[in-house]
Amino acid sequence: MGRKVTMATCCLNQWALDFEGNCERILRSIEEAKAHGAKYRLGPELEICGYGCADHFYESDTLLHSFQVLRNLLESPVTQDIICDVGMPIMHHNVRYNCRVLFLNRKILLIRPKMLMANHGNYREVRWFSPWNKLRQVEEYFLPRMIQEVTGQDTVPFGDCVLSTKDTCIGTEICAELWNPDSPHIQMGRDGVEIFTNSSASHHELRKADQRVNLIKSATTKSGGIYLYANQRGCDGDRVYYDGCAMVAINGDVVAQGAQFSLDDVEVITATLDLEDVRSYRGELCQPQLESDFKPCHRVKVDFSLSGCDDVYLPTHQPIEWHFHTPEEEISLGPACWLWDYLRRSGQVRRTGVRSSLGTLRSVWFGPLSCLLVCVQAGFLLPLSGGVDSSSTACIVHCMCVQLCRAVEGGNSRVLEDVRRVVGDESYHPQDPKQLCARVFTTCYMASENSSGDTRNRARDLANQIGSTHMNINIDVAVKGILGIFSAVTGRWPQFRASGGSARENLALQNVQARVRMVLAYLFAQLSLWARGRPGGLLVLGSANVDESLTGYFTKYDCSSADINPIGGISKTDLKRFLLHCAEQLQLTALRSILAAPPTAELEPLTDGRVSQTDEADMGMTYSELSVIGRLRKISKCGPFSMFCKLIHTWKDALSPSEVAQKVKRFFRMYSVNRHKMTTVTPSYHAESYSPDDNRFDLRPFLYNASWSWQFRCIDDQVFLFFQVTQMAANTAKR
């Protein structure tokens, strides 16, 4: 009858500028799509070169190598008899565009440039690409000679067009176009396009997946149609993790769903659907076009059908219920996958004298001759303090090991190959996460005279339960040695405040301890495996949360300075919930005592053997309050005065206006004085929409007038006005 179509969409773990690996993964996805009977295959955004090329998009090499990969795809027998939809950058009339290239049987059918760019948050597409703003217009694109030799075509259609097969019509959206209030699918649907495709590079944020699903369901609920969504997955060399979620929807219902988090480099989702269901749905809802200025879509015709002639007995996919992960599950999965991608990819090059393809072997590159040494990364090292933050990082590594063992048990040969390469044992077969953790994860408790026995025991107990190789290190000798140098030069020996020292002395002594820990962490990362007779080095993990980064409540160049930080974009509140989840689901009972203890840096002398310093007391606000302030600052775009105006209502039951004013002022003073720390902060997994990451997400000055005199005066005026009104009301009541 020719009414049922089978289509495929996919998630690929592409890597910026890894043209060989990207090409191989694209071909694998096309091969899998054909094996499931698909006649159309959709891939992620810019999948040929990788989405995260950043300023490499300026380079002509990136364009050249993308076309070389396209030629390989066109020539491959794997791509025959299926419409392939791939993403790559293309220069047209000396302007770069983010494009989809649709081809069939060695012929390019059309090139569709992106029209609505992603230019907010982590995205800077307008920096590298121009939007195609010629609505419903198509031009001729002259193909490079290397492509002409394969296709026999001189030019192909380039612009805002759709593909018309013998049995249906397919229209393209690219990532952010779905999120735009003027999404292309709206007009395409009104012009009879029945199948919409979306190629994305959409990154993970906590609690974001439902927005994506709801947008796609809404797109086909309003006017019917089939919607295919493809997304990148994994770490492609930056701070974000692309979280898959490939799906197929029809008339407002999701009928096929891919995984949000997975260690599979290639995941293909196929669905068989009945075009008559779309036509019946639209028959009642859609009306003929009555606008006089309506512009129909430019249709590129192709002599090809997605459906077969005899499909009466071909079953179609039925609606399914989408399963959303809880935020705690997301933390256990997303950062863990990101860590694994970073670990396995940062140690790919083994030849002496050749830089790692990621160029991130900082834990072994210290001296002027460092370029002569390339060390295979054999795991992670974490300074484990026994607090919530470092314990969260440790649990994420353990969750990574859990996922690796499950993947190997499920038959993932590529994961097994990577694990064996990382541990340096070609016969190793991981079965127990705790056993694997011992091979790839080293933790160390760095004690000083200010450390308590409680935190030492908590760190030891957690290390035993997750299986990490654990060390106890005392830093007092190093600290006293550094202070001895200072004393030899100045003749002075600084004292803690508890011993009569000044605030400057007190802070300096805390910072010395923190910075010694960073130096020792890198030393042990570089040489601890050597001491055990094993090859390779370790990547140092950081453990500062998003709220501490927001206020700068950490020492610059302390243990927060690491190679990567899996929790740098996660709030303290969410981390506590995550640890409770791990305690319950992974039976890590040591976490309960960690959760019960007050957060402390343990940098000041103990009082009667007990901690005298707590984080929240130092900051003058709770972590819960910081989360609220952080969201107002970034998401609600609040300065000091606007924030005060909102918080006097939000916190009215707990704080007076003058108390709110004090907290707002204290926050902005801390934030502005410490903002410089964000310019050197460790690259962190992006997970929160209020992250203060200075690299690309939260662009602000790092030299402020920390008095905020004008802004704070506006707050003071409102507090005074409130006081006057309150006094007048009280006087009136007395009369």
Side-chain angles (χ1 to χ4, degrees):
M1 293 179 64
R3 50 188 275 176
K4 296 178 182 177
V5 295
T6 300
M7 297 159 294
T9 182
C10 62
C11 296
L12 303 182
N13 195 335
Q14 303 297 75
W15 190 7
L17 302 177
D18 179 24
F19 292 97
E20 187 170 356
N22 292 348
C23 181
E24 185 267 338
R25 286 182 285 270
I26 292 170
L27 287 172
R28 279 175 55 198
S29 70
I30 296 171
E31 192 170 28
E32 287 188 33
K34 289 177 67 176
H36 289 88
K39 294 292 185 180
Y40 183 98
R41 175 269 181 198
L42 175 72
E45 186 175 11
L46 293 169
E47 60 189 302
I48 284 180
C49 58
Y51 183 81
C53 294
D55 281 0
H56 289 289
F57 284 123
Y58 290 135
E59 300 168 3
S60 60
D61 281 10
T62 304
L63 299 172
L64 169 66
H65 300 325
S66 294
F67 272 112
Q68 290 171 335
V69 171
L70 179 61
R71 174 172 177 145
N72 285 352
L73 296 175
L74 287 164
E75 291 180 325
S76 172
V78 172
T79 63
Q80 301 304 297
D81 301 321
I82 182 172
I83 296 176
C84 298
D85 186 337
V86 299
M88 60 181 284
I90 291 178
M91 183 170 281
H92 176 57
H93 294 172
N94 294 331
V95 178
R96 275 183 310 277
Y97 295 97
N98 175 350
C99 296
R100 303 302 301 175
V101 179
L102 279 67
F103 63 90
L104 170 68
N105 295 336
R106 300 168 68 97
K107 299 287 184 183
I108 294 178
L109 305 176
L110 61 88
I111 300 175
R112 201 290 209 164
K114 192 170 185 177
M115 298 188 292
L116 301 169
M117 313 303 289
N119 205 49
H120 64 283
N122 285 301
Y123 297 102
R124 295 288 180 273
E125 289 182 1
V126 174
R127 179 179 174 91
W128 309 298
F129 301 109
S130 293
W132 181 260
N133 52 20
K134 301 177 182 179
L135 187 67
R136 301 290 184 266
Q137 293 185 38
V138 176
E139 299 176 356
E140 283 188 322
Y141 176 75
F142 286 82
L143 294 170
R145 186 178 294 114
M146 73 173 83
I147 303 300
Q148 292 180 21
E149 292 171 354
V150 177
T151 66
Q153 302 166 286
D154 294 327
T155 63
V156 294
F158 184 103
D160 181 14
C161 51
V162 298
L163 185 65
S164 184
T165 65
K166 295 171 71 174
D167 50 359
T168 188
C169 189
I170 307 167
T172 298
E173 286 189 327
I174 305 176
C175 198
E177 294 175 351
L178 169 65
W179 300 73
N180 193 279
D182 193 22
S183 296
H185 72 259
I186 298 172
Q187 292 300 322
M188 288 191 295
R190 296 170 70 187
D191 195 32
V193 175
E194 296 178 327
I195 300 173
F196 311 110
T197 66
N198 187 298
S199 306
S200 280
S202 180
H203 67 272
H204 172 240
E205 275 184 6
L206 296 175
R207 307 169 180 88
K208 175 184 172 182
D210 62 316
Q211 300 176 39
R212 206 182 279 146
V213 175
N214 291 337
L215 280 170
I216 290 171
K217 291 170 69 174
S218 173
T220 57
T221 298
K222 290 180 289 188
S223 60
I226 297 170
Y227 205 106
L228 274 70
Y229 176 82
N231 194 19
Q232 186 158 311
R233 174 184 288 140
C235 167
D236 78 337
D238 211 331
R239 291 161 168 80
V240 296
Y241 176 83
Y242 300 99
D243 59 336
C245 291
M247 70 186 90
V248 181
I250 179 172
N251 299 340
D253 292 316
V254 175
V255 296
Q257 168 192 352
Q260 184 176 9
F261 307 102
S262 173
L263 299 180
D264 293 331
D265 283 346
V266 176
E267 181 188 36
V268 177
I269 304 300
T270 57
T272 300
L273 297 169
D274 195 334
L275 292 172
E276 288 301 316
D277 289 339
V278 175
R279 294 158 188 166
S280 299
Y281 187 92
R282 287 181 170 177
E284 182 178 358
L285 295 178
C286 300
Q287 302 298 322
Q289 289 298 336
L290 302 177
E291 298 95 331
S292 59
D293 61 344
F294 178 77
K295 294 181 180 179
C297 300
H298 180 95
R299 281 171 161 77
V300 176
K301 298 179 181 178
V302 58
D303 186 17
F304 186 76
S305 297
L306 299 186
S307 59
C309 296
D310 187 12
D311 58 11
V312 174
Y313 297 104
L314 186 64
T316 58
H317 282 64
Q318 299 304 308
I320 61 174
E321 194 69 31
W322 190 284
H323 168 71
F324 293 105
H325 292 291
T326 64
E328 296 78 28
E329 290 172 335
E330 290 184 84
I331 295 171
S332 72
L333 296 168
C337 291
W338 182 74
L339 281 181
W340 175 241
D341 276 349
Y342 198 100
L343 176 61
R344 69 189 180 107
R345 287 176 166 171
S346 65
Q348 282 205 343
V349 178
R350 293 169 180 257
R351 299 186 301 276
T352 300
V354 183
R355 271 187 83 99
S356 162
S357 47
L358 268 182
T360 49
L361 301 181
R362 279 170 290 180
S363 61
V364 296
W365 288 10
F366 264 64
L369 300 179
S370 58
C371 59
L372 300 178
L373 171 65
V374 170
C375 182
V376 177
Q377 300 299 356
F380 299 111
L381 179 137
L382 171 69
L384 183 61
S385 69
V388 167
D389 295 332
S390 61
S391 297
S392 297
T393 297
C395 287
I396 288 172
V397 176
H398 181 70
C399 290
M400 180 194 80
C401 294
V402 170
Q403 291 190 64
L404 290 172
C405 289
R406 288 174 180 171
V408 171
E409 184 180 357
N412 192 321
S413 59
R414 291 176 185 268
V415 169
L416 178 59
E417 178 184 339
D418 284 336
V419 169
R420 287 173 171 172
R421 179 172 52 81
V422 168
V423 302
D425 184 350
E426 294 302 320
S427 63
Y428 179 63
H429 194 93
Q431 295 177 319
D432 177 41
K434 190 173 179 179
Q435 177 196 63
L436 177 58
C437 212
R439 290 210 177 210
V440 301
F441 191 31
T442 298
T443 54
C444 55
Y445 180 82
M446 297 186 179
S448 75
E449 60 186 12
N450 301 318
S451 302
S452 67
D454 292 338
T455 53
R456 179 187 289 105
N457 293 337
R458 288 195 288 265
R460 180 202 60 209
D461 293 345
L462 179 60
N464 288 339
Q465 290 186 6
I466 65 176
S468 66
T469 300
H470 189 64
M471 299 179 289
N472 282 306
I473 303 169
N474 192 292
I475 68 171
D476 286 335
V477 174
V479 171
K480 289 175 181 175
I482 292 172
L483 293 177
I485 295 172
F486 178 82
S487 180
V489 174
T490 65
R492 305 286 299 274
W493 192 282
Q495 300 293 325
F496 281 105
R497 183 164 40 205
S499 301
S502 65
R504 279 192 295 173
E505 293 172 77
N506 196 65
L507 182 59
L509 289 173
Q510 293 182 65
N511 288 341
V512 167
Q513 296 171 76
R515 288 175 178 139
V516 162
R517 287 178 172 135
M518 184 271 289
V519 173
L520 288 174
Y522 274 94
L523 175 64
F524 277 88
Q526 188 171 5
L527 293 179
S528 61
L529 294 186
W530 167 79
R532 286 181 246 159
R534 287 181 52 192
L538 302 172
L539 289 165
V540 180
L541 294 181
S543 55
N545 63 62
V546 70
D547 299 321
E548 290 172 346
S549 297
L550 190 60
T551 58
Y553 185 68
F554 60 91
T555 300
K556 198 174 187 179
Y557 304 120
D558 69 347
C559 279
S560 64
S561 297
D563 288 314
I564 49 175
N565 179 3
I567 68 165
I570 306 174
S571 72
K572 192 82 160 190
T573 303
D574 280 334
L575 289 176
K576 287 182 175 180
R577 293 171 180 159
F578 164 64
L579 290 186
L580 184 59
H581 167 82
C582 290
E584 295 172 349
Q585 300 299 317
L586 301 177
Q587 288 76 53
L588 301 177
T589 55
L591 294 173
R592 298 193 181 278
S593 61
I594 292 171
L595 285 166
T600 175
E602 288 195 333
L603 294 173
E604 294 190 44
L606 303 175
T607 302
D608 297 326
R610 294 290 180 180
V611 171
S612 60
Q613 173 193 36
T614 63
D615 296 351
E616 293 182 336
D618 281 355
M619 292 187 294
M621 60 191 71
T622 67
Y623 280 106
S624 297
E625 290 170 341
L626 264 179
S627 292
V628 174
I629 287 173
R631 287 183 168 84
L632 288 175
R633 183 198 70 96
K634 177 65 178 175
I635 302 173
S636 300
K637 314 297 188 292
C638 287
F641 182 70
S642 298
M643 186 179 294
F644 166 77
C645 292
K646 289 181 180 295
L647 287 178
I648 56 175
H649 300 289
T650 304
W651 291 344
K652 66 179 185 298
D653 296 331
L655 300 172
S656 68
S658 60
E659 290 172 323
V660 171
Q662 290 305 311
K663 284 190 181 288
V664 170
K665 290 178 183 180
R666 182 172 178 82
F667 166 76
F668 274 97
R669 286 195 188 100
M670 285 194 298
Y671 161 76
S672 54
V673 167
N674 292 318
R675 180 65 190 186
H676 65 95
K677 296 180 181 179
M678 292 308 300
T679 63
T680 62
V681 75
T682 297
S684 301
Y685 180 96
H686 177 86
E688 264 297 354
S689 53
Y690 71 94
S691 168
D693 170 33
D694 186 70
N695 175 262
R696 79 159 39 161
F697 184 72
D698 187 46
L699 305 182
R700 315 263 176 154
F702 58 85
L703 177 61
Y704 280 91
N705 181 343
S707 68
W708 299 87
S709 55
W710 190 284
Q711 296 91 330
F712 287 0
R713 187 162 58 248
C714 291
I715 294 175
D716 291 338
D717 290 344
Q718 289 300 314
V719 172
F720 180 70
L721 180 62
F722 175 83
F723 176 77
Q724 284 187 315
V725 171
T726 303
Q727 286 294 104
M728 290 174 60
N731 293 336
T732 302
K734 289 179 181 179
R735 297 194 193 104

